[in-house]
């Protein structure tokens, strides 16, 4: 575990870099200042990179557009791997037909639709369509009436033995510098404990996220796990998950874990990143180029 | 563990009987048929009884009135011990002044008000009054906007280190024969896991409920724990809590635990009632009186 | 929450003081230096005090003797309330006869014996006596072969549906300045998760410990909860439990919670003591007496 | 979810079959009767198969030999994927040098040794070698003194911030028809809760086990997840994990889940296999071949 001054020396050491999104590339206030230099450097050096994010609220295309609007053009849809994509793969492999009942916005549901599979917000489940429901998905914390639709979800799951997918494992996400929002993962954990059934969760630290990205890369080239580094701001998702999958890991201090107490938190959690770096910004200012 | 045919033989054996409310005296459909005969018999025999209930949504007076409306006059406010009463005792002992922020209906909050202590729904917390908040209480699952107010609660608790009370430990409660509602105890557990702090919980199976009732009785008479029996329909609240407090316990099959699988559930939970009885109804029909 | 310089001002304010044992009166190295002055002062002022301890390894008489050997004569058996005493009360009320199977030392078992109730170490359970076993108790982490007897316990509990008591809720206890030992509460939690049954636990923070002591006092005098203060070194047992029972609480910094980080730990746990004091030592040195 | 009479119709439908070991191929009493016919059929039909097992107590070679001794020659080391192999991959990728402290038998440790990496039983950790320890692994429940070495492990992990690997997620394993043993996964969970750190776990239901096997196959051929079926006896490891990875799944009734209550258990756990089959035995008796 080494403290590294300039992210450049990490970028130089690996062929492929996985970045967490929130707390690494962007924060509640917009892009992490200077982060565009990192992606310029990676492009120049011919390094590959992916955004690996617990976000099932939108499609990769919509996620990429949100970076573009902030001025970061380097992040294209092909560069994004989200927990929503794992959810979609699950449906493709395991749910041939029927209705997908969901909690979330229409945007989040639109992405998982495909021929043969209709999506239906929990609010529209009724006696006429309940028999066709083949799976239930927790997609986003917005887009529904919590009181009415969470109670309706509990009773649907008590009545019908169907698989349940949680498309985002996070319990909360940052909203402003000081405020957070309860995430769909936190809501799903409550419903799981009320109905007493075991749900299927997609998202870091689970290694399926890393494997999905790893497989994506290997469709076009040979690569080993030792050539990849995972960059994240959260010990118990990015770093724990990256370590377990066999990747080297970098803890950056621009998000959930802060400069003032990162050492205490590493020791008290027992989760050790390979490197620690103030940010994921590549600094070329001190170099004669 | 004996199966008893007629609740009368249990009533005859003890001086004082504690009844759970839901699933024992009433169900979603109204009173348990014949339960009024039990209270007539107890009155005739001079036995004391208490309703010991995880319900902080209303005052004992309001709870008693709801029994009266169903036709059961025997249950007076003095006969009711609720988790709301423990919450009130906590405030009286530990919170001398300030504002009590709460989630619940105005009815639930009204009960805990007293001179020097103002109650304020979470929705009305703002920059002007936040500094005066001295405690936060989860009272009822109704009376607030779940999305707006649960998120507001999370951020209040992240910002202010105040004690948090959960006035009802239940995670769900029955609404109809087949449907349940998420209870305030389930909501509080979600918030607790999101903010990572430890809340104070009042309600069965915690022994403080039983102790409160026991103390109430001993204000007017001497009594030993062996003279009291706890009657309930739920193994992991009524029976576990009663056993732990040192009371004999009766599992009745009119609520959460059903005739078809009570034996399996007793063995799989490892929670043993002293007796099992179909219901808490005293049957005098076979007797020459 | 006020920082108090001298424990004397707390002692002066209450009629009755509850002390945790380990980390308050003694540590791995012996008595807390100067603690005898506290008990001299309490005696002089006519204050009542109790040691309220999660310790089921020995009887109150044996526990008192261990204080005497360290030179503290003020602690007599009548002043000690242990989780072992709650276990004994449970047996007296709920287990009329049969064999009590246990994990622990013969000393720990001797204390709970009484006419009609035989104790038997798990190692001696066999086909001839298994049918007479009416309860199983986790008493102490010593006195048995962990590998052989923990596996034997698992299979006993899978086979026989009997109540199971955990006589000490602690998961670990301090052994030296830097080392701890796994406590019987930690072992019991493992067995509970392996067999999937719910055990009955006695010990702080559960309020039954405080109630037992409170009842003991009220056998000889009238007293209110506001006249009692609980002194402890551990937020999530002594302070959480004392608060919940309605007592004022003092966090001392001679044990589990240290001067360097007590503020962070209070805020991160959300458990607020009424007072904080460096130690429970009454300092009379600055006074003209 | 369909009940299938003859495992043959499942074998006919997939290119590759993953089998759990215990409860599917063997039980405490030896091989599942007739299971050799399944492997004869798979060989004849040119189907590929793997044993995917939460067992880190021995190397694949030793595991294969134990099948050979029971008379099943079809299972060669190359056919076995164990949680011990994931542990070994983790060490290869993430632990360049130093000492691996472990709990387990010498056999379990021997397998993970390699140049540059010394293994050391916890019992032999001392002041001279403690600084060189770079990781700690829970390998097997045998081979050490539980009392002495579990306490020593707790204090090692409190003192040194190193990654901790649990090489088997199971909490118990069957020993005889009626008895189980506490598994190293159960022991590790106790230690994890005592030291308050987060360990890394390898084994079903975690998808890394399935991915490891999937990757192994793809080294020599192209294959899709829809061509693979996972056969297991345990809902919350084999079936949950297989489903989540995107495989079709078969619940067999020769192990943990029994014919008398599999329907209840499926509904109460909310984990749905694609098929249910009495056993994994291919029955050719009714066919004219």
């Amino acid at each position: 575990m080494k403290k590294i001054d300039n992210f450049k020396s990490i970028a130089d050491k690996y062929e492929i870099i996985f970045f967490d999104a929130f707390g690494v590339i962007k924060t509640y206030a917009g892009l992490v200042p200077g982060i565009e230099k990192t992606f310029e450097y990676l492009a120049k050096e011919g390094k590959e990179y992916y955004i690996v994010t617990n976000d099932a609220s939108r499609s990769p295309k919509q996620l990429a557009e949100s970076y573009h609007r902030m001025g970061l053009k380097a992040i294209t849809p092909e560069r994004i791997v989200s927990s929503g994509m794992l959810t979609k793969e699950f449906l493709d492999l395991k749910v041939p037909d029927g209705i997908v009942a969901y909690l979330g916005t229409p945007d989040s549901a639109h992405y998982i639709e495909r021929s043969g599979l209709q999506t239906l917000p929990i609010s529209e489940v009724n006696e006429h369509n309940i028999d066709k429901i083949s799976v239930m998905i927790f997609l986003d914390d917005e887009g529904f009436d919590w009181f009415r639709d969470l109670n309706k979800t509990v009773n649907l799951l008590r009545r019908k033995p169907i698989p349940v997918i949680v498309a985002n494992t996070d319990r909360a996400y940052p909203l402003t510098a000081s405020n957070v929002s309860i995430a769909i993962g936190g809501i799903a954990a409550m419903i799981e404990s009320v109905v007493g059934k075991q749900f299927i969760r997609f998202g870091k630290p689970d290694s399926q996220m890393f494997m999905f990205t790893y497989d994506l890369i290997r469709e076009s080239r040979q690569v080993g796990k030792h050539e990849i580094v995972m960059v994240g701001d959260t010990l118990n998702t990015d770093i724990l998950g990256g370590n377990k999958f066999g990747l080297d890991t970098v803890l950056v201090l621009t998000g959930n874990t802060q400069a003032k107490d990162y050492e205490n938190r590493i020791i008290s959690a027992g989760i050790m990143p390979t490197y620690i770096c103030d940010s994921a910004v590549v600094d070329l200012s001190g170099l004669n180029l």
Side-chain angles (χ1 to χ4, degrees), chain A:
Chain A
M1 210 166 70
K2 291 174 219 152
K3 185 80 160 64
I4 302 290
D5 285 335
N6 189 341
F7 190 77
K8 179 178 174 300
S9 66
I10 291 167
D12 287 345
K13 214 176 280 180
Y14 296 88
E15 283 305 300
I16 298 173
I17 305 181
F18 291 178
F19 293 95
D20 178 35
F22 217 96
V24 176
I25 296 175
K26 62 180 178 178
T27 68
Y28 66 95
L31 292 180
V32 166
I35 198 70
E36 67 284 356
K37 284 184 286 184
T38 299
F39 292 98
E40 285 161 20
Y41 184 73
L42 295 179
K44 186 170 139 298
E45 299 292 313
K47 306 274 183 174
E48 213 170 331
Y49 53 87
Y50 291 89
I51 316 301
V52 181
T53 175
N54 285 0
D55 190 336
S57 68
R58 289 170 294 174
S59 69
K61 187 159 171 293
Q62 290 170 310
L63 288 169
E65 283 164 4
S66 79
Y67 287 103
H68 299 178
R69 280 193 297 274
M70 288 188 282
L72 191 61
K73 303 289 181 188
I75 298 177
T76 53
E78 307 80 48
R79 296 293 178 186
I80 294 177
V81 174
S82 74
S83 52
M85 292 166 72
L86 273 76
T87 303
K88 187 160 170 40
E89 187 200 34
F90 178 89
L91 295 178
D92 291 345
L93 283 164
K94 298 282 296 179
V95 184
D97 48 37
I99 294 175
V100 179
Y102 73 92
L103 287 170
T105 60
D107 259 7
S108 64
H110 182 66
Y111 171 57
I112 57 172
E113 278 171 356
R114 66 146 207 275
S115 118
L117 215 57
Q118 183 197 340
T119 59
L120 191 75
I122 284 287
S123 59
E124 293 176 20
V125 171
N126 60 38
E127 291 304 317
H128 301 297
N129 55 34
I130 191 169
D131 286 339
K132 288 181 215 135
I133 294 175
S134 47
V135 66
M136 149 79 206
I137 309 196
F138 289 85
L139 284 166
D140 197 3
D141 61 294
E142 298 191 65
F144 59 94
D145 179 316
W146 282 26
F147 176 74
R148 182 195 62 195
D149 292 345
L150 294 181
N151 275 307
K152 196 167 173 186
T153 301
V154 163
N155 288 303
L156 171 66
L157 298 182
R158 283 165 45 93
R159 181 163 158 191
K160 270 191 76 86
I162 48 172
V164 180
I165 307 301
V166 184
N168 177 346
T169 48
D170 296 346
R171 299 217 159 191
Y173 60 91
L175 204 64
T176 67
S178 56
N179 282 359
V180 302
S181 265
I182 301 169
I184 192 68
I187 293 169
M190 172 177 71
I191 305 290
E192 195 177 27
S193 103
V194 168
V195 301
K197 310 214 173 189
Q198 219 169 333
F199 297 171
I200 291 175
R201 283 185 163 67
F202 291 117
K204 294 170 286 178
D206 187 66
S207 41
Q208 208 158 332
M209 283 288 282
F210 298 96
M211 168 178 35
F212 190 95
T213 322
Y214 188 48
D215 262 9
L216 209 65
I217 299 165
R218 291 187 299 171
E219 285 177 12
S220 55
R221 62 185 283 198
Q222 290 283 358
V223 69
K225 288 181 179 181
H226 60 280
E227 298 173 90
I228 307 175
V229 69
M230 169 74 206
V231 185
D233 70 318
T234 308
L235 286 169
N236 63 356
T237 57
D238 306 314
I239 307 305
L240 180 66
N243 283 346
K244 188 184 166 192
F245 189 65
L247 307 182
D248 282 355
T249 50
V250 186
L251 179 71
V252 293
L253 308 176
T254 42
N256 274 328
T257 314
Q258 297 183 316
K260 65 174 177 183
D261 64 355
Y262 75 89
E263 283 169 310
N264 279 339
R265 289 174 71 170
I266 285 169
I267 287 169
S268 94
I271 301 170
M272 258 70 56
T274 318
Y275 309 103
I276 294 137
C277 204
D278 285 328
S279 78
V281 174
V282 167
D283 181 3
L284 301 175
S285 63
L287 306 170
N288 296 321
L289 296 170

